[in-house]
Amino acid sequence: MGIIEQYQRLGVKDIAGHLGLHPFDVIRVLAARGPLPEDLAFEESEQERIRGESGLEVWWTPGRRLEADSVHARGVLRSMVRELVARKIVAPRATRVDNLWRGLEDEDERIARRAVNLLLQEQFLKTVSSRLGIMVTVPADKVEALERIAAGTEMPASLAALWLAS
């Protein structure tokens, strides 16, 4: 391979930037396949394969609305919980933790990250070990409670820390 061809290929950092991942996450996916390639340079088409193998999903696309709520942070929480339930992310099924906020605006992403921490503390979510990185799942006995949270009919006081701290 010539020098020009090598510079036209994507490096790990390029792929990570395009996918919104940390370069380590790209290496993790590549290592799960087997031995790493010597040059760590890839064709552009490889990017989609890595996206699929990494479990990366964009839940929040432009124009997609969050739950309307008089308290914005509560609306972000309810939206995220709604997506978890709608996508049936119930044990044993799990998703990358960063899928929960991928595509949100910066402030909403910060709220979502704090919400995930609260949901984990209160055991509405559990972490799952995976070769893909940190994954989360909803325990089966928490689905109904999360459905009520998403609908706005019930909100545990412990989760109010999300918007009281704002």
Side-chain angles (χ1 to χ4, degrees), residues 27-154:
I27 294 293
R28 183 191 329 249
V29 170
L30 296 171
R33 290 182 185 169
L36 293 174
E38 286 184 30
D39 63 0
L40 289 177
F42 306 93
E43 300 299 326
E44 197 167 321
S45 60
E46 186 70 6
Q47 184 172 290
E48 287 309 308
R49 183 173 170 199
I50 291 170
R51 177 191 310 273
E53 291 175 12
S54 69
L56 185 136
E57 299 173 358
V58 179
W59 288 15
W60 307 103
T61 54
R64 184 125 192 255
R65 298 197 191 283
L66 296 171
E67 290 288 333
D69 196 297
S70 59
V71 178
H72 183 72
R74 189 171 55 206
V76 172
L77 168 70
R78 290 179 52 216
S79 299
M80 192 173 52
V81 167
R82 177 196 67 213
E83 287 299 310
L84 281 163
V85 171
R87 292 171 185 268
K88 297 180 175 53
I89 309 296
V90 179
R93 190 161 180 251
T95 190
R96 292 177 60 98
V97 70
D98 54 351
N99 286 342
L100 277 68
W101 55 73
R102 186 173 309 286
L104 287 173
E105 298 291 326
D106 291 344
E107 180 58 27
D108 292 339
E109 179 182 327
R110 281 189 286 281
I111 293 168
R113 285 174 181 260
R114 287 192 353 249
V116 167
N117 287 332
L118 283 172
L119 291 168
L120 286 165
Q121 287 173 15
E122 298 302 317
Q123 299 181 350
F124 287 105
L125 287 178
K126 291 198 176 197
T127 57
V128 177
S129 297
S130 168
R131 66 176 181 79
L132 300 177
I134 300 173
M135 308 281 279
V136 292
T137 189
V138 175
D141 65 335
K142 299 294 184 181
V143 173
E144 289 180 11
L146 288 180
E147 288 172 340
R148 292 189 297 272
I149 290 169
T153 59
E154 182 180 302

